[in-house]
Amino acid sequence: GWGRGRRPVINVNYADAQSYVAWLSERTGQRYRLLSEAEWEYAARAGTTTAYYVGDTLDQSQANFGRIRGQTLEVGSFAPNAFGLYDMTGNVAQWVEDCHHESYE
């Protein structure tokens, strides 16, 4: 059941992610793209200045990480951040348009 139903999509490479946003753009007539790393981090932190939206530490009651559970969990298994976004930390890795930078430039 991984990657099906309410579980996040898995086994997607960068080219697959780019192909999906191109398809979605063509299908809807709207312009879609992957977020930049800075945009993703801003959305994940939800306006906080800490390492995670919940503070500087994270535990298993707040996100699925470290392969402890051995599988993905359904989207929305944990509380959303202050922007109302679910699972920005943990569960699966996310693709972004560019690479990590120490600053937001």
Side-chain angles (χ1 to χ4, degrees):
W2 293 21
R4 303 219 187 279
R6 292 193 44 83
R7 295 199 183 249
V9 174
I10 58 173
N11 299 323
V12 174
N13 63 34
Y14 184 76
D16 294 335
Q18 290 290 11
S19 292
Y20 176 76
V21 294
W23 171 85
L24 186 60
S25 295
E26 185 176 316
R27 170 95 184 204
T28 64
Q30 302 291 318
R31 183 176 182 271
Y32 288 92
R33 63 174 175 80
L34 296 177
L35 296 176
S36 71
E37 188 273 337
E39 290 168 333
W40 182 90
E41 187 171 334
Y42 178 78
R45 289 183 187 209
T48 67
T49 58
T50 54
Y52 305 100
Y53 75 99
V54 295
D56 284 322
T57 60
L58 191 66
D59 67 43
Q60 291 293 319
S61 70
Q62 299 161 318
N64 183 24
F65 63 94
R67 299 181 188 245
I68 292 173
R69 290 184 175 89
Q71 64 182 14
T72 62
L73 297 179
E74 288 189 355
V75 172
S77 294
F78 301 97
N81 67 19
F83 290 168
L85 301 174
Y86 290 88
D87 304 318
M88 292 296 289
T89 302
N91 220 12
V92 296
Q94 298 88 10
W95 284 109
V96 294
E97 186 65 37
D98 59 353
C99 298
H100 172 75
H101 301 279
E102 290 300 318
S103 70
Y104 289 115
E105 295 180 17

